[in-house]
Amino acid sequence: MTTTDDLLPEGLADNLPADSAMLGRAMRAALDAMDAHGYDRVSPPLVEFEKSLGHRMDGLQTRAMFRFVDPASLRTLALRSDITPQIGRIAATALSARVRPLRLCYAGEVTRIAADQLDPVRQRLQVGAELIGSDSVAAASEVVLTALAALEAVGVENLSVDFTLPDLVTTLAAGPFPLDEEQADAVRRELDAKDAGGLKAVGGDAYLPLIHAAGPFPDALDRLRAVDAGGALESRIAGLEQIAAAVGNRARITLDPTERHGFEYQSWFGFTLYAGDARGALGRGGTYLIRGTDEPATGFSIYLGQALPLLPAAEPRAMLYLPLGHDGEGAARLRGEGWRTLAALSDDEDPCALGCTHRLESGEAIPL
Amino acid sequence: MPQSDLTFAVPKGRLLDDALPVMERAGVVPEAGFHDKANRALCFATTREDLRLIRVRAFDVATFVAHGAAQIGIVGSDVIEEFDYSDLYAPVDLDIGHCHLAVAQAVDGEDTDGASHVRVATKYPNITRRFYERAGVQAECVKLNGAMELAPSLGLAGRIVDLVSTGRTLKQNGLVETQRILDITARLIVNRAALKTDARVAELVETFRREAEARANEKATA
């Protein structure tokens, strides 16, 4: 009998065999692609001190993490909601003496205590890579290409990358379009919503052209270039052009210079990955600073659960039924050849109902 | 490139009458059945083959677009502020449907609220809470879906936060506006992911922007 005790909490779900197999394959494919690009895998723990998760990068908040007191140390622990700060910690501590640039990758589950308005999911599989020691244009290009390679390996088609300049308002507010702190916050908020009317209302008229500088890459970049910011944007525009050239036609490229959603700690460059008909982003990445050592880094994260609906259904697999009293050695040999086997427990089983496609008879696999 | 149909969400009610001419100038013209009051359908074809129109409640316009179930829509900025959806862009101020959001109290009512705590009947609990928070006041909101004006006289809440356009409804119910919270106009809204992955959405935004600019210029020269 099902009681309400058997319900899973909101935003948490079981992955049943079909989804589980797809997720597992996708994770392996992504990890292999990152490995092939020279990234070493690390596996940090699920739980850490809240402080170490929260202070590694600017703008990170531990509010959305599951937190509790550690009975051993009496300090607050938190369940990770993002693996990137953990990689930052590893780079700043255990691997601080390694030669830079340091390339690390990871795959693991992350959780958050509260879902957001649009996405109820509270546990996700995060896969990503971090290039530590550089936030140059070359590093950014490599990371974008590695992210695309990982998604291609997973089997996602019609990729699209959206470039952004996360610290744009901070840069402009300190230079050509001065704003005080309070105004800058209001301008950021209106730019987040691309609210032209709201932006005028808070005195951010100078920032209006930035809303219009969003869209397909070459055109949007021309519009950004037309924003006269006294040279403050030149190096950034040049950087974006080089990264776009590196991507070539492997993905559709768009630019949205004021996009900040999901870019809490990124510095000059950020990107969001989209694909085909997917309603949400598959992942994002960018340049940032690891606090503590103040080391620059570039990285990306993808959430494979988001990609699942985009993947083709798995081909049905063959499975060999091993009747009672079968030849054990012969079966082991067939498994060695790649067969998947299912051994009988009793006489009255229906091999077809159990999902078998073949039956072992005198050392041969006979189709059922 | 996704080539599925685009869905355009429009709100039921007063704003729609102002929005239809704007949409028409931007090339979004619904089929004849849309104007038929007796027609109970919710989904309508347009003169564009790859675009359909849905007519839903104002708050639902924002929800459909934020979730990507509709790619584009028209809604008042009050709704955008109330939800504060992260996946919603409001790139064009359509300059129609002007009104404002205000606090109102009974003309002759005495203030029963304390200095740090107020009780407010409203359709906009989030905006109300944020507005009072900024003044250091904790607002206890009673969520109503309509007829807020009844709340003060029946003792449900001392004040209300509601839309005001002419002020006539307030007056007829013995209320007076005490604070203005927010000026409101209708905005074209789009889904973030749709804007970035579907070029047709960006084109529509551009068309509406040009239409709004042309209208502003006409107004300036008139």
Side-chain angles (χ1 to χ4, degrees), chain B residues 10-12 16 34 36 39 41-42 44 53-57:
Chain B
V10 293
K12 291 176 175 171
L16 188 57
F34 187 82
D36 179 2
N39 193 334
L42 299 169
F44 301 89
L53 218 55
I54 58 169
R55 183 164 57 188
V56 294
R57 279 167 183 268

Side-chain angles (χ1 to χ4, degrees), chain A residues 4-276:
Chain A
T4 50
D5 292 343
D6 291 330
L7 285 175
L8 286 172
E10 204 181 306
L12 298 167
D14 296 315
N15 283 315
L16 297 179
D19 278 352
S20 224
M22 268 166 88
L23 259 185
R25 256 199 313 278
M27 185 176 89
R28 271 196 303 279
L31 280 171
D32 286 347
M34 295 186 291
D35 183 73
H37 283 79
Y39 288 79
D40 292 326
R41 184 174 179 188
V42 286
S43 306
L46 271 175
V47 179
E48 282 199 24
F49 290 125
E50 179 193 8
K51 280 215 154 162
S52 80
L53 282 174
H55 290 73
R56 205 42 84 177
M57 275 137 211
D58 289 337
L60 264 186
Q61 297 223 330
T62 54
R63 260 210 323 228
M65 295 180 197
F66 283 95
R67 284 166 297 167
F68 47 96
V69 173
D70 178 15
S73 66
L74 303 184
R75 292 170 63 187
T76 309
L77 300 181
L79 233 69
R80 65 184 180 197
S81 63
D82 181 358
I83 299 180
T84 311
Q86 297 188 298
I87 307 299
R89 175 181 52 74
I90 292 173
T93 55
L95 298 182
S96 62
R98 274 287 176 88
V99 174
R100 299 308 200 242
L102 178 65
R103 290 175 171 85
L104 299 174
C105 68
Y106 55 84
E109 302 284 341
V110 293
T111 60
R112 52 182 176 175
I113 197 158
D116 64 35
Q117 293 163 304
L118 297 173
D119 184 8
V121 171
R122 292 201 283 173
Q123 177 177 341
R124 297 190 286 184
L125 176 60
Q126 184 186 5
V127 177
E130 311 294 333
L131 202 172
I132 293 136
S134 178
D135 62 355
S136 65
V137 173
S141 304
E142 173 177 327
V143 166
V144 173
L145 291 184
T146 310
L148 291 175
L151 283 173
E152 284 161 2
V154 165
V156 182
E157 289 171 348
N158 293 323
L159 289 169
S160 139
V161 194
D162 186 44
F163 291 164
T164 181
L165 299 169
D167 66 358
L168 184 65
V169 173
T170 314
T171 309
L172 293 179
F177 304 152
L179 295 173
D180 62 43
E181 194 103 332
E182 203 173 307
Q183 251 185 326
D185 280 343
V187 164
R188 280 194 198 99
R189 204 168 47 244
E190 300 305 337
L191 282 174
D192 279 350
K194 297 244 182 303
D195 190 336
L199 194 60
K200 274 189 201 146
V202 299
D205 289 68
Y207 290 80
L208 209 54
L210 295 176
I211 292 186
H212 308 328
F217 187 71
D219 298 346
L221 195 71
D222 286 343
R223 267 172 285 173
L224 183 62
R225 203 175 273 127
V227 177
D228 180 19
L233 297 177
E234 258 168 45
S235 65
R236 285 175 165 78
I237 290 173
L240 288 177
E241 268 182 324
Q242 287 177 47
I243 300 168
V247 171
N249 52 14
R250 276 174 80 179
R252 178 173 177 256
I253 305 173
T254 55
L255 171 68
D256 184 350
T258 64
E259 174 70 81
R260 281 195 318 142
H261 182 71
F263 297 99
E264 290 83 9
Y265 47 77
Q266 273 78 1
S267 52
W268 77 272
F269 172 70
F271 64 97
T272 313
L273 297 156
Y274 292 96

Side-chain angles (χ1 to χ4, degrees), chain A residues 117-118 158 160 162 190 192-198 211-212 223 252 254 256 259 261 274 276-280, chain B residues 1-2 4 66-69 83-91 93 187 191-193 196-199 206 209:
Chain A
Q117 293 163 304
L118 297 173
N158 293 323
S160 139
D162 186 44
E190 300 305 337
D192 279 350
K194 297 244 182 303
D195 190 336
I211 292 186
H212 308 328
R223 267 172 285 173
R252 178 173 177 256
T254 55
D256 184 350
E259 174 70 81
H261 182 71
Y274 292 96
D277 271 331
R279 279 182 182 167
Chain B
M1 202 62 180
S4 48
H67 285 265
F83 279 125
D84 207 11
Y85 276 129
S86 57
D87 267 30
L88 212 59
Y89 283 163
D93 185 344
R187 309 284 161 90
N191 177 268
R192 173 209 306 276
K196 290 180 178 177
T197 55
D198 194 327
E206 202 48 50
R209 180 178 296 139

Side-chain angles (χ1 to χ4, degrees), chain B residues 23-42:
Chain B
M23 289 162 58
E24 194 180 323
R25 280 195 293 275
V28 180
V29 183
E31 61 177 317
F34 187 82
H35 306 286
D36 179 2
K37 290 267 186 302
N39 193 334
R40 309 293 289 178
L42 299 169

Side-chain angles (χ1 to χ4, degrees), chain B residues 6 71-72 190-191 194-195 198-206:
Chain B
L6 289 176
Q71 288 73 31
I72 191 163
V190 292
N191 177 268
L195 180 66
D198 194 327
R200 295 171 302 171
V201 175
E203 269 164 39
L204 270 171
V205 170
E206 202 48 50

Side-chain angles (χ1 to χ4, degrees), chain A residues 217-357:
Chain A
F217 187 71
D219 298 346
L221 195 71
D222 286 343
R223 267 172 285 173
L224 183 62
R225 203 175 273 127
V227 177
D228 180 19
L233 297 177
E234 258 168 45
S235 65
R236 285 175 165 78
I237 290 173
L240 288 177
E241 268 182 324
Q242 287 177 47
I243 300 168
V247 171
N249 52 14
R250 276 174 80 179
R252 178 173 177 256
I253 305 173
T254 55
L255 171 68
D256 184 350
T258 64
E259 174 70 81
R260 281 195 318 142
H261 182 71
F263 297 99
E264 290 83 9
Y265 47 77
Q266 273 78 1
S267 52
W268 77 272
F269 172 70
F271 64 97
T272 313
L273 297 156
Y274 292 96
D277 271 331
R279 279 182 182 167
L282 296 183
R284 51 179 62 89
T287 59
Y288 58 92
L289 207 61
I290 299 172
R291 282 287 163 217
T293 52
D294 285 355
E295 196 173 14
T298 314
F300 73 90
S301 296
I302 46 186
Y303 297 99
L304 287 176
Q306 300 275 72
L308 222 48
L310 304 172
L311 300 179
E315 299 274 315
R317 294 168 72 194
M319 186 151 67
L320 180 64
Y321 185 70
L322 309 175
L324 281 181
H326 65 270
D327 164 24
E329 267 174 38
R333 182 175 46 78
L334 285 168
R335 272 195 296 273
E337 286 170 13
W339 278 96
R340 191 172 178 228
T341 66
L342 189 139
L345 288 182
S346 70
D347 275 336
D348 52 3
E349 290 174 347
D350 175 1
C352 290
L354 289 171
C356 294
T357 53

